[in-house]
Amino acid sequence: RSKMARNYDRAITVFSPDGHLFQVEYALEAVAKGTTAVGIRGKEVVVLGVEKRSAAKLQDPRTVRKICLLDDHVCMAFAGLSADARVLVNRARVQCQNHRLTVEDPATVEYITRYLAQMKQTYTQSNGKRPFGVSALIAGFDPDGTPRLYQTDPSGIYSAWQANSIGRSAKTVREFLEKNYTEEIAADEASAKKLALRALLEVVQSGSKNVELAIMRRGQPLEILSSTEVDAIVATIEADKEAESKAKAKAATA
């Protein structure tokens, strides 16, 4: 039997001799093949941006969502298997309502992130189950008004970020964010939206028509930007690039 065949038949609960859980690594590969998602944590806002697959001609595009609301103050963008993500979203929504019913306060963003991470981890060590093929960016505001951005992956790890990316070409986008994210950008809503869109356009070939951008402000509901608003931000990005190239050309000839 080939090496690939031997790898695929390993049980989820069995480590390989060199310390790998292959099914978890395959789940991470499923995430890497998913559409790109970006998250930016600002001072007063959190921004999520996603690459959308082109909808079929007769398909209702409203039914294809990569950004989901978990509670009034928490939202999630995901990369990977949409069916797996739907299960996680539904479980998270129920948990948010359970928390409100029990404690009479909304859950913190870390609480709901930890809940999802624990659920994912359980599926990496249970017979008869497979890992969730989903990574998620979970963004929102704590009850005290603090903005938060967390990432989870199929292994059950979660971590807090100022800006991050998941899905296809996540490393390229993350490097772009590392170079361009600053405290000044985080403090300005328009700059945060522009940075999220610039990061996505680094890897999305078809431009703004296949990009979705959502913004959540403190104490306000999630707002998904219309295509007209996204096009307007793209226009300012293009204008900035043109001005920058002209300035470079002028400096070169001086």
Side-chain angles (χ1 to χ4, degrees), residues 179-192:
K179 286 178 186 173
N180 293 279
Y181 180 92
T182 63
E183 292 297 324
E184 290 75 22
I185 285 175
D188 180 58
E189 179 182 318
S191 298

Side-chain angles (χ1 to χ4, degrees), residues 161-226:
W161 294 79
Q162 292 174 310
N164 197 15
S165 174
I166 54 175
R168 183 176 63 86
S169 304
K171 185 180 178 185
T172 302
V173 179
R174 195 175 300 119
E175 286 172 355
F176 174 86
L177 291 170
E178 286 170 357
K179 286 178 186 173
N180 293 279
Y181 180 92
T182 63
E183 292 297 324
E184 290 75 22
I185 285 175
D188 180 58
E189 179 182 318
S191 298
K193 288 191 286 190
K194 191 188 289 186
L195 178 62
L197 200 48
R198 283 177 63 202
L200 277 176
L201 293 176
E202 286 287 301
V203 295
V204 177
Q205 304 300 323
S206 52
S208 62
K209 67 177 182 178
N210 278 5
V211 166
E212 189 170 56
L213 211 60
I215 183 165
M216 184 177 279
R217 302 173 183 90
R218 185 182 285 112
Q220 296 182 33
L222 178 71
E223 178 192 350
I224 295 182
L225 273 61
S226 67

Side-chain angles (χ1 to χ4, degrees), residues 78-121:
F78 65 88
L81 303 180
S82 295
D84 285 15
R86 187 181 67 241
V87 172
L88 289 172
V89 167
N90 288 339
R91 293 285 289 271
R93 285 172 173 168
V94 170
Q95 187 63 24
C96 284
Q97 296 311 306
N98 283 342
H99 191 280
R100 282 181 181 271
L101 191 65
T102 307
V103 186
E104 298 185 357
D105 277 317
T108 63
V109 182
E110 183 175 9
Y111 173 88
I112 201 63
T113 302
R114 190 168 61 242
Y115 171 80
L116 287 174
Q118 181 59 48
M119 189 175 166
K120 287 183 178 184
Q121 194 279 332

Side-chain angles (χ1 to χ4, degrees), residues 10-249:
R10 293 186 191 277
I12 181 62
T13 54
V14 178
F15 283 94
S16 69
D18 53 350
H20 291 268
L21 283 173
F22 282 110
Q23 290 300 316
V24 174
E25 294 185 12
Y26 297 148
L28 288 165
E29 285 299 315
V31 169
K33 288 180 169 59
T35 51
T36 313
V38 173
I40 309 282
R41 189 190 79 200
K43 267 194 172 180
E44 305 290 333
V45 298
V46 286
V47 181
L48 292 176
V50 294
E51 174 191 3
K52 295 190 299 182
R53 296 238 188 256
S54 298
K57 188 177 180 181
L58 300 178
Q59 186 179 23
D60 185 345
R62 293 174 302 172
T63 60
V64 184
R65 287 287 185 203
K66 289 283 185 177
I67 299 175
C68 308
L69 194 63
L70 304 182
D71 201 350
D72 294 339
H73 63 297
V74 189
C75 55
M76 174 180 126
F78 65 88
L81 303 180
S82 295
D84 285 15
R86 187 181 67 241
V87 172
L88 289 172
V89 167
N90 288 339
R91 293 285 289 271
R93 285 172 173 168
V94 170
Q95 187 63 24
C96 284
Q97 296 311 306
N98 283 342
H99 191 280
R100 282 181 181 271
L101 191 65
T102 307
V103 186
E104 298 185 357
D105 277 317
T108 63
V109 182
E110 183 175 9
Y111 173 88
I112 201 63
T113 302
R114 190 168 61 242
Y115 171 80
L116 287 174
Q118 181 59 48
M119 189 175 166
K120 287 183 178 184
Q121 194 279 332
T122 301
Y123 275 65
T124 68
Q125 57 176 161
S126 304
N127 279 317
K129 297 177 181 178
R130 64 161 176 79
F132 285 94
V134 176
S135 279
L137 292 171
I138 300 160
F141 289 86
D142 284 346
D144 65 1
T146 308
R148 303 288 186 191
L149 175 67
Y150 289 92
Q151 184 222 332
T152 71
D153 70 27
S155 67
I157 291 172
Y158 77 92
S159 50
W161 294 79
Q162 292 174 310
N164 197 15
S165 174
I166 54 175
R168 183 176 63 86
S169 304
K171 185 180 178 185
T172 302
V173 179
R174 195 175 300 119
E175 286 172 355
F176 174 86
L177 291 170
E178 286 170 357
K179 286 178 186 173
N180 293 279
Y181 180 92
T182 63
E183 292 297 324
E184 290 75 22
I185 285 175
D188 180 58
E189 179 182 318
S191 298
K193 288 191 286 190
K194 191 188 289 186
L195 178 62
L197 200 48
R198 283 177 63 202
L200 277 176
L201 293 176
E202 286 287 301
V203 295
V204 177
Q205 304 300 323
S206 52
S208 62
K209 67 177 182 178
N210 278 5
V211 166
E212 189 170 56
L213 211 60
I215 183 165
M216 184 177 279
R217 302 173 183 90
R218 185 182 285 112
Q220 296 182 33
L222 178 71
E223 178 192 350
I224 295 182
L225 273 61
S226 67
S227 56
T228 306
E229 291 172 301
V230 172
D231 288 341
I233 299 171
V234 171
T236 62
I237 291 170
E238 295 298 331
D240 289 348
K241 281 183 179 176
E242 193 174 331
E244 190 179 329
S245 61
K246 281 182 180 177
K248 281 182 180 176

